[in-house]
């Protein structure tokens, strides 16, 4: 029977990635799994009487699970049979659906892209109409929902110890790339036995940058096909959609994040087409888009998108 993993206190970890955490389930390469998530600690839950439903399992998690250094509640980790360091996971995102009828958006004092703009900070709760696929803002505007998981990652090497879930890295994690909606494929390096895949940080809607600190944080359900690629030798995550290939860079310095994403795209182009680094660099300048993924995860993100058509026609 395909794995259907609910977010219970025994099947989540809160705020960290750690290669020594035992898996809560194991799958084989090629399996399709359904993963349900929740988002938000006790202070993020909407008050009673607001017409927003907080699931009982969410309340059990915030009562029973000890938070780590980051805010993200992740379902998993899931072991992939036979995965070893040096391999990769091909994670095909088959479906993403809104699970809860509410989300929240947070400004924290001293954080975000403009840390002094709202010195007192603040949290708002936002109704989500799942049938219509919209999020209602407090001033009445309806935002089209485009759900995706901000966090999808394997475990870092056990020698790295416990890492905050805030900072994305070579294992993926808090990527916050809004292109990772249904139909996208995320490629993740494997750094520890079993790969230990975790998913969380559901977003109902987000702009590139996620500038005030959060998106519309909410619970989601995702269906994924997870395939093991042996001896892939990936240095970091990359992704693809029906229209684009996507490379990513993370660094405290936004310029360096852009350089990392660009170098990865040049390598991808050269590997796919046989073009020289110079030719691939020129192609990036005339055909690729560099976008700000997020500005708020300590290590900022840039992703480079190249249309698939640009990979054709080279010898």
């Amino acid at each position: 029977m395909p794995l259907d993993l609910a977010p219970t206190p025994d099947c989540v970890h809160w705020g960290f990635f750690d290669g020594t955490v035992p898996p809560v389930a194991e799958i084989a390469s090629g399996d399709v799994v359904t993963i349900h998530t929740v988002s938000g600690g006790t202070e993020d839950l909407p008050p009673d009487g607001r017409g927003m439903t907080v699931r009982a399992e969410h309340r059990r998690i915030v009562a029973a699970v000890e938070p780590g250094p980051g805010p993200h509640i992740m379902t998993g980790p899931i072991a992939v049979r036979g995965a070893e360091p040096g391999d990769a996971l091909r994670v095909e995102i088959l479906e993403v659906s809104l699970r809860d009828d509410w989300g929240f958006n947070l400004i924290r004092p001293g954080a975000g892209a403009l840390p002094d703009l709202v010195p007192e900070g603040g949290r708002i709760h936002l109704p989500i109409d799942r049938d219509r696929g919209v999020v209602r803002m407090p001033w009445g505007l309806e935002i089209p929902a485009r759900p995706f998981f901000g966090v999808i990652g394997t475990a870092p090497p056990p020698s790295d110890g416990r890492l905050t879930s805030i900072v994305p890295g070579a294992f993926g994690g808090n990527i916050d790339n809004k292109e990772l909606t249904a139909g996208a494929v995320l490629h993740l390096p494997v750094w520890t036995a079993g790969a230990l895949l975790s998913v969380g940080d559901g977003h109902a809607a987000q702009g590139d940058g996620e500038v005030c600190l959060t998106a519309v944080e909410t619970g989601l359900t995702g269906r994924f096909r997870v395939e093991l690629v042996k001896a892939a030798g990936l240095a970091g995550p990359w992704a693809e959609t029906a229209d684009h290939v996507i490379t990513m860079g993370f660094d405290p310095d936004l310029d360096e994040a852009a350089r990392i994403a660009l170098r990865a795209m040049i390598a991808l182009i050269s590997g796919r087409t046989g073009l020289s680094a110079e030719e691939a660099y020129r192609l990036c300048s005339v055909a690729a888009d560099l976008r700000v993924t997020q500005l708020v995860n300590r290590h900022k993100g840039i992703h480079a998108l190249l249309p698939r058509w640009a990979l054709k026609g080279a010898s």
Side-chain angles (χ1 to χ4, degrees), residues 22-109:
V24 301
E26 184 180 69
I27 61 174
S29 177
D31 282 355
V32 173
V33 301
T34 299
I35 301 174
H36 309 275
T37 68
V38 299
S39 286
T42 302
E43 69 281 5
D44 301 313
L45 305 183
D48 293 337
R50 296 282 299 277
M52 302 178 185
T53 305
V54 180
R55 295 175 182 270
E57 63 195 8
H58 198 161
R59 295 193 187 277
R60 286 195 293 270
I61 287 169
V62 299
V65 179
E66 182 179 357
H72 310 102
I73 300 173
M74 292 164 287
T75 305
I78 299 169
V80 179
R81 198 171 304 130
E84 301 172 316
D87 297 340
L89 297 187
R90 181 185 186 275
V91 182
E92 184 178 359
I93 304 168
L94 300 173
E95 296 177 15
V96 184
S97 58
L98 299 164
R99 188 166 186 257
D100 291 328
D101 62 7
W102 62 277
F104 69 93
N105 175 262
L106 175 65
I107 298 175
R108 180 176 292 123

Side-chain angles (χ1 to χ4, degrees), residues 26-29 78-89 154 188-197 226-231:
E26 184 180 69
I27 61 174
S29 177
I78 299 169
V80 179
R81 198 171 304 130
E84 301 172 316
D87 297 340
L89 297 187
T154 55
L188 292 167
V190 172
W191 301 102
T192 191
L196 302 181
L197 178 69
V226 181
E227 296 179 285
L228 178 62
V229 181
K230 297 298 291 183

